[in-house]
Amino acid sequence: MRTKIIFLLTVAVLLTVLLMQNNQEAKFNILFFSDVAVSKLSVLLVVTIASFLAGIVIARPNKRRTVETDSEDDEDDEHPNTKSNTLSDEDRDYLH
């Protein structure tokens, strides 16, 4: 198995154990509401799901990709993705 799958399975097992051990009710003071008695299990589950979804949204690849067309200057043939006046020759040499 790949290490990523092993890591995810380990995290899932540890999360399940953590959730099952914390099933008592606890009082939470949520914003303007007075003490709300909620199961720790449900709070941990909601926070876990929200964190997972936030991670997916943050880590997803950017779907907007700009396509640069070749300009009239043909002097930049070896660097088609950069504009000719953006980088100096020294910077180009450093990057390659």
Side-chain angles (χ1 to χ4, degrees), residues 23-57:
N23 58 2
Q24 308 91 356
E25 283 195 1
K27 292 184 180 181
F28 291 97
N29 189 2
I30 303 171
L31 295 177
F32 302 111
F33 301 108
S34 61
D35 291 336
V36 178
V38 181
S39 171
K40 288 182 187 177
L41 173 68
S42 60
V43 172
L44 285 171
L45 188 62
V46 167
V47 169
T48 301
I49 291 172
S51 301
F52 180 74
L53 293 175
I56 288 175
V57 169

Side-chain angles (χ1 to χ4, degrees), residues 15-24 40-41 44:
L15 182 64
T16 303
V17 170
L18 177 74
L19 290 175
M20 291 302 139
Q21 287 181 347
N22 290 299
N23 58 2
Q24 308 91 356
K40 288 182 187 177
L41 173 68
L44 285 171

